[in-house]
Amino acid sequence: MITKVNKSIIIFCIFAFGFLLSNLVRSITATLTPVLTYEFDLTAGNLGLLAGGYFIGFSIMQVPIGLLLDKFGPKKVVGYFLIIALVGTISFALAKSFSGLLVSRIFIGIGVSACMMGPLTGYRVWFAEKYQQRANSWMLMVANIGFVSSTLPVQILLPYMGWRWIFILIAILILISIILIFLFTPNWEQTENSTIDAEKKGLAEIWKNKFFISMVPLAFINYGGIQAIQTLWAGPWMLNITGYSPFQSATGLFWINVTMLVSYFLWGYILPKLSDYGISSIKLIKFGLPISYFVFFLIIFLGTKAGALLFAIYIMTSIVISLTQPAIALNFSQSLAGKSLTSYNVFIHSGTFFMQWGIGLFIDLFNSKGFDILSSYRISFSIFLILCILSYIFFIYLNKNND
């Protein structure tokens, strides 16, 4: 375990920088919605598919990433995969068609697929147990720095650089991240016994675990859907329903993500204290998630009056869902840390893809059936909310005796 504070901070910051960039490219499509829609004539379904392409690549690599992380460690896995992200980012900048954009997004998703689970696997071994929830929350805080960077800063740069040169700039930053990871992060050192133990235990132990099963619908529908709203559909709602201009929408997304950045920082600070008082992650999830459902209902109900403030409150009240990741990791031995986290991540990010795409398809469907744009959004968002509530009920049922 790492005991030197300075070394821990350096390791955290280096991995956090790569994770920041992965979230910048994840959510940038929300800000670029107007320019990409105009240049490539995108429908809502196309837009959802394009944004979700990132999550296709991300999801298909999660199980292989878990196996690689447990064997080779975060340094090699994150570093080498970021090279794929570098190629995908340059390819996106040069794309001339929707299919070119989509394929590039998929490769970007593959390339950054270890940027969160890689560090968390390392923290499971390097950091004391009580600080793992803090590290997880502060990584998510860093994610929101990436989300913030993808909003107003991108909108301000857009008239001067154009979206293609913005992606070239991101590619340069990814290259810097790769260099830092290879130069300054620790090698992976597992004991012989833990390596043998990891080889004996397969994915079946994780996927058959009752607690893991209880989390799957929450990951796929609820966690994935929150990311779909935050990284895509909050933007089009503000543009098409609330009546914001592109600059106002980008500003709204900026403040939504600033709110989340601060929330994750405070959340990471207080979690070890809550743990000391015997307040478990499961209890926080049980009592916290229904608040977010009520806020999302208000967004649907208020319609044209629901703007950036309500979306910020919705994402903020959903923060308890982030506890599911460290809860999953702590439910298994250290030798299964990578496999358990990435197995869970399969459902989070495949869910984000299907929620992003599905919401767009339903909006297009109901609009084509004669519903106005407000009703189409309302119906699509309502379907998502009902699915979230059902996933929560399933989680409560399987954990009714577990606090």
Side-chain angles (χ1 to χ4, degrees), residues 220-284:
F220 188 84
I221 297 168
N222 212 142
Y223 208 151
I226 290 165
Q227 292 193 150
I229 298 296
Q230 183 178 7
T231 60
L232 179 62
W233 288 111
W237 175 285
M238 289 186 288
L239 285 167
N240 299 320
I241 305 302
T242 317
Y244 285 10
S245 68
F247 185 82
Q248 288 174 321
S249 177
T251 303
L253 290 169
F254 174 84
W255 287 113
I256 288 169
N257 290 301
V258 166
T259 301
M260 287 311 299
L261 190 160
V262 175
S263 298
Y264 275 119
F265 176 79
L266 296 175
W267 191 235
Y269 179 76
I270 66 172
L271 275 174
K273 300 181 185 298
L274 294 176
S275 181
D276 290 340
Y277 283 108
I279 303 175
S280 69
S281 299
I282 302 302
K283 188 174 292 185
L284 288 168

Side-chain angles (χ1 to χ4, degrees), residues 69 96 167 192 199 228 261 277 338 344 365:
L69 282 170
K96 300 297 183 184
F167 271 84
E192 184 178 349
E199 290 175 352
L261 190 160
Y277 283 108
Y344 185 64
L365 173 64

Side-chain angles (χ1 to χ4, degrees), residues 186-199:
N187 293 318
W188 194 237
E189 295 179 4
Q190 292 279 50
T191 65
E192 184 178 349
N193 288 336
S194 67
T195 303
I196 293 171
D197 184 50
E199 290 175 352

Side-chain angles (χ1 to χ4, degrees), residues 3 42 74 82 111 118 133 188 218 278 283 345 348 352 362 392 394:
T3 55
L42 304 181
L82 275 176
Q133 288 183 337
W188 194 237
L218 277 184
K283 188 174 292 185
N345 233 27
I348 294 175
T352 304
F362 276 118
Y392 173 78
F394 180 79

